Amino acid sequence: MRVIDAHQHFWSLATPGHEWPTPAEAAIHRDFGPSDLRAAAAGRVPLASSVLVQSQPTDTDTDWMLALAAATPEIAAVVGWVDLASPDAPARIARLAAAPKLRSLRPMLQSIEDTDWLLRGELTPAIQAMVDHGLRLDALIQPRHLPMLARFAERWPALPIVIDHAAKPYAAQRELDPWRTDIAALADMGLWCKLSGLRTEQATGQPAEALRPYVDHLLACFGDRLMWGSDWPVLCLSGDSYCDWYEDALQLTGLSGERQARLFAGAATQFYALGEDDA
């Protein structure tokens, strides 16, 4: 089996506008690049390629990622950032869409106090530009955003949407509801979801096995529209390694054959429109 990691990050602390991680996140407060990912996966994960996702709400970070992707064959696609509320957003989106590996944009909704921000009228030109240029939306959200995202998806049916980190359920408290009902409603609408970022939502010392109710629900709801991502190196804040989360996901999902290949490669390939050369 080959693996396409649907969600990982690189960053350079020297990039202008870098905000996070800070020295408080000592385990990941350094530069991370392709050689680090190769080393993290070596020997235990058959990693073929990955989707590089923005980590900073800046144009400079997106430009840096696209330049890195252009020089790195293993980066199959890039999820960038644009200030969707800016009057210049449609022009910026048009320029970015010309980059061969740009596939999606990700506003950092989890950090915006207004839960309904994505529904604001001033964002309409930018969202329309995303649709016009064949881009996708990566939804970095929390459970509070799920009803809003349903309204957004109804408004923009032509925009493919993937929910990052399963909307970050409250795994530390082992809460399932109303997350369970709200995310099932989005699955029924045809949205996609990433099996990623869950270990860092748990409390210190909680085992990966405690995520089983969440994983079972995601598999049942999203099926072939669920894709595995590492969220590395943010994952390291949980104490897990890249290989630990891969092996935990294998055990928690219990899939084999075509269903396993779909989770670990096929869904990301379809959603992000990766060609054979990309994958």
Side-chain angles (χ1 to χ4, degrees):
M1 184 180 72
R2 63 172 187 166
V3 170
I4 299 175
D5 186 342
H7 196 107
Q8 56 86 202
H9 305 283
F10 296 138
W11 54 69
S12 169
L13 301 184
T15 303
H18 180 91
E19 296 181 359
W20 190 90
T22 70
E25 293 80 34
I28 58 172
H29 187 246
R30 65 174 180 86
D31 293 352
F32 283 91
S35 62
D36 299 295
L37 179 58
R38 294 184 202 110
R44 290 162 61 188
V45 181
L47 183 63
S49 61
S50 68
V51 177
L52 175 60
V53 180
Q54 62 83 222
S55 60
Q56 315 298 316
T58 64
D59 291 336
T60 52
D61 178 60
T62 295
D63 293 341
W64 177 82
M65 288 192 303
L66 288 171
L68 182 63
T72 308
E74 303 100 301
I75 300 175
V78 171
V79 177
W81 177 91
V82 168
D83 180 1
L84 299 180
S86 169
D88 298 328
R92 170 71 173 166
I93 290 168
R95 291 193 298 272
L96 290 176
K101 290 188 178 181
L102 186 79
R103 293 292 193 278
S104 184
L105 296 178
R106 187 172 86 145
M108 302 191 80
L109 299 174
Q110 69 173 10
S111 302
I112 298 173
E113 185 176 356
D114 180 6
T115 299
D116 292 336
W117 180 85
L118 197 60
L119 300 175
R120 291 186 179 184
E122 63 263 34
L123 274 59
T124 296
I127 304 300
Q128 186 61 56
M130 292 174 64
V131 174
D132 293 343
H133 290 283
L135 298 179
R136 299 144 190 82
L137 176 73
D138 268 63
L140 176 60
I141 60 173
Q142 298 164 327
R144 64 185 170 103
H145 295 99
L146 290 169
M148 177 279 297
L149 191 61
R151 300 197 299 274
F152 178 85
E154 287 178 347
R155 184 181 298 180
W156 295 99
L159 180 66
I161 301 171
V162 62
I163 303 167
D164 289 353
H165 313 324
K168 297 192 168 186
Y170 300 125
Q173 294 80 32
R174 305 198 181 202
E175 292 182 14
L176 282 167
D177 298 313
W179 169 87
R180 178 163 46 186
T181 300
D182 290 341
I183 205 161
L186 289 169
D188 288 344
M189 296 177 68
L191 274 66
W192 299 61
C193 188
K194 292 185 182 181
L195 181 61
S196 62
L198 296 180
R199 287 291 278 147
T200 46
E201 296 304 310
Q202 293 184 280
T204 302
Q206 283 183 322
E209 176 61 29
L211 294 171
R212 186 171 295 278
Y214 301 95
V215 174
D216 287 348
H217 187 62
L218 294 170
L219 283 169
C221 290
F222 290 95
D224 285 350
R225 286 176 283 116
L226 186 67
M227 62 190 79
W228 179 83
S230 67
D231 197 29
W232 179 94
V234 180
L235 169 70
C236 299
L237 294 175
S238 73
D240 272 8
S241 70
Y242 192 93
C243 298
D244 289 336
W245 171 236
Y246 168 71
E247 290 168 358
D248 284 340
L250 285 173
Q251 182 174 356
L252 286 166
T253 57
L255 302 177
S256 60
E258 291 183 2
R259 293 189 67 199
Q260 184 185 74
R262 178 72 183 183
L263 175 69
F264 286 95
T269 298
Q270 182 178 345
F271 181 78
Y272 288 111
L274 307 180
E276 287 299 319
D277 292 340
D278 300 317

